Amino acid sequence: MSLFKRGKIWWSYFYVDGVRHQQSTETSNRRQAESIEQKLKEEVNARRFQLVQADPHMKFGELAARFIASGIAHPHHLYHLKFLLPFFADVLVLRLTKPMTEEFRKKRKADRGDFPLKDATVNRDLSVLRHILYWAVDERLLESNPLARLKMARERRTKRQVLSLAEELLLLPAAVPHLRAMTIAALDTGMRRGEITHQRWEDIDFYSRVLSVTRSKTPEGECREIPLTDRLHKLLTEQRQKEGVVFGYQGEQVTIIKRSWKTALKNAGVRHLRFHDLRHTFNTRLMEAGVLQEIRMALMGHSSGSKVHAIYTHIELPAKRKAVRMLETWVNQQQEELKQEQQNASTEERTETGSGPSQGRHPQTVEEEDAR
């Protein structure tokens, strides 16, 4: 018998390889204490054979510190940890439960007060929490992930904003030169901001008028080929260099555009948009131009769940060129219609302005002016 009672709590005492282990089961129920003791013995035995190095006293704050120290933490992990640590830092990792995540969700929403927080945002927090626990399992710090089957809240689909052609005509002149070039690249290629800022001159074929994405966040997007529009080809030709970063500022790679982007929107009088919405704009314009979904996915580097795009990249290039030509044709037609509408509106305004002063004047005055 290795269970002994201290007050009302059962304690477990047992030996493994001559080493005495003792730990509280934190329960006064004998049957529960026996189950907990059995689990404690299994954990000690697993450590004995180096199957796992779980520390029953390790708190989530310590585990998060190890995760960050490992060097694999990305910026978005660090961002979400700012919200996770105040709630979970002092909780034992082995004591993490799914009801705790629901309490976290409620508290996270309550902290926002009058500004509602979407379930999608909390889902990202909990995804990072679950990711760190999976990492701990891989590193043999945990025997299993206590949140392995955690269900996320259903997310409502939100409308993706798209930059109109009229807004584009206002935005481009209002943007500083390096941001203007990045904006044109995003509108004409659908590249992500990170892909644009990492793009290098060595990966642009001016003779074939094709851009190969230098670096992407997804394997499907890496080194994909995107035909250049006439506008983008002209812009890059004017700034052409032998090597280095294409879209830079004073010779250095651009890392943050938040302030310059916000200023450009304000100066142009354009509603709030994210720079990433330019990628949605590219996809929407391709769809409006009649480009098939498979080709749109290939141009944007989306995963299709198959190896077709990876194998037939060069065979698909003519289809990509055709898609870009269709996009340019559609944009030119829309711009012509927009210009015609603006001209008609301007003509009507001038007509109304020209006839306005004569209205309400005395007929004799009008006759005298006509005589003069």
Side-chain angles (χ1 to χ4, degrees):
M1 180 177 178
S2 56
L3 282 174
F4 297 91
K5 211 167 189 180
R6 283 187 180 179
K8 294 183 179 181
I9 302 299
W10 288 99
W11 279 70
S12 173
Y13 299 88
F14 57 90
Y15 287 85
V16 176
D17 292 338
V19 179
R20 183 171 183 262
H21 297 266
Q22 64 178 16
Q23 186 169 338
S24 170
T25 63
E26 299 183 8
T27 180
S28 59
N29 185 295
R30 175 62 183 265
R31 183 168 295 182
Q32 289 183 359
E34 290 175 351
S35 300
I36 293 173
E37 182 189 42
Q38 181 62 30
K39 187 174 182 180
L40 292 173
K41 289 181 178 180
E42 291 175 357
E43 291 176 355
V44 171
N45 197 45
R47 289 199 299 270
R48 177 188 178 194
F49 291 100
Q50 297 183 349
L51 297 178
V52 69
Q53 300 175 0
D55 181 1
H57 304 290
M58 181 171 58
K59 297 179 180 180
F60 178 75
E62 179 185 348
L63 179 61
R66 292 190 182 188
F67 175 74
I68 296 172
S70 67
I72 65 172
H74 295 294
H76 77 275
H77 293 139
L78 301 178
Y79 172 78
H80 291 287
L81 278 172
K82 292 191 301 183
F83 307 103
L84 292 169
L85 287 175
F87 189 89
F88 293 103
D90 295 328
V91 178
L92 294 176
V93 176
L94 297 179
R95 297 290 185 267
L96 286 171
T97 61
K98 294 171 185 177
M100 286 185 183
T101 62
E102 290 302 317
E103 293 178 13
F104 170 77
R105 184 181 295 275
K106 293 177 182 177
K107 184 178 185 304
R108 185 89 158 84
K109 290 185 174 181
D111 290 342
R112 286 294 294 266
D114 297 333
F115 300 94
L117 192 68
K118 295 181 180 179
D119 284 323
T121 303
V122 186
N123 284 349
R124 302 300 173 269
D125 295 336
L126 295 177
S127 294
V128 170
L129 173 63
R130 189 172 57 181
H131 174 78
I132 295 175
L133 294 175
Y134 273 124
W135 171 83
V137 173
D138 293 338
E139 295 294 318
R140 295 184 177 180
L141 299 174
L142 285 178
E143 186 177 357
S144 61
N145 185 346
L147 302 180
R149 301 183 66 181
L150 175 66
K151 291 184 178 180
M152 301 294 181
R154 293 185 62 182
E155 300 178 10
R156 294 183 178 274
R157 296 185 62 181
T158 57
K159 181 180 179 181
R160 292 182 174 180
Q161 298 195 86
V162 174
L163 184 73
S164 68
L165 290 171
E167 291 173 328
E168 178 184 339
L169 295 176
L170 296 173
L171 178 61
L172 291 180
V176 292
H178 73 276
L179 181 61
R180 178 179 180 272
M182 292 177 61
T183 302
I184 292 175
L187 288 170
D188 290 5
T189 65
M191 294 168 67
R192 301 176 178 89
R193 180 178 60 84
E195 294 173 342
I196 294 175
T197 56
H198 285 90
Q199 188 62 41
R200 301 188 64 83
W201 289 107
E202 299 94 309
D203 295 319
I204 299 179
D205 187 342
F206 284 90
Y207 178 78
S208 299
R209 298 168 64 101
V210 172
L211 177 150
S212 298
V213 178
T214 303
R215 177 178 172 182
S216 176
K217 63 177 290 187
T218 62
E220 292 80 8
E222 198 78 34
C223 293
R224 71 181 185 276
E225 295 177 318
I226 305 176
L228 300 176
T229 61
D230 291 336
R231 175 173 67 167
L232 185 56
H233 181 265
K234 179 181 178 181
L235 174 67
L236 295 177
T237 301
E238 293 173 350
Q239 303 176 359
R240 183 174 181 177
Q241 299 180 18
K242 291 184 178 180
E243 59 183 15
V245 178
V246 177
F247 302 97
Y249 177 69
Q250 296 182 351
E252 300 292 334
Q253 181 179 345
V254 177
T255 56
I256 300 176
I257 63 169
K258 186 175 182 179
R259 181 177 297 179
S260 58
W261 175 253
K262 187 176 181 179
T263 302
L265 292 176
K266 182 179 179 180
N267 293 340
V270 176
R271 60 199 166 94
H272 173 70
L273 291 165
R274 301 173 304 163
F275 186 84
H276 191 74
D277 290 326
L278 302 181
R279 178 172 164 85
H280 302 322
T281 301
F282 174 75
N283 186 37
T284 301
R285 291 180 179 181
L286 285 175
M287 182 173 59
E288 292 283 354
V291 178
L292 297 177
Q293 180 183 7
E294 291 77 9
I295 300 177
R296 299 202 310 269
M297 292 173 66
L299 284 168
M300 299 183 67
H302 282 165
S303 174
S304 63
S306 65
K307 298 182 179 179
V308 174
H309 296 301
I311 298 174
Y312 298 105
T313 302
H314 294 286
I315 297 177
E316 196 182 58
L317 187 56
K320 290 182 178 179
R321 292 187 188 279
K322 182 180 178 181
V324 172
R325 299 287 86 80
M326 292 171 65
L327 172 65
E328 288 185 300
T329 301
W330 181 85
V331 170
N332 291 335
Q333 290 176 349
Q334 295 298 314
Q335 287 179 341
E336 288 298 326
E337 292 179 5
L338 180 62
K339 290 179 181 178
Q340 187 63 41
E341 290 178 1
Q342 292 176 344
Q343 289 177 358
N344 293 340
S346 178
T347 303
E348 292 177 0
E349 184 179 353
R350 287 198 301 268
T351 302
E352 293 176 358
T353 304
S355 61
S358 63
Q359 297 177 359
R361 290 186 297 171
H362 195 276
Q364 184 177 358
T365 306
V366 176
E367 292 177 0
E368 293 176 354
E369 289 179 355
D370 291 340
R372 288 198 294 267

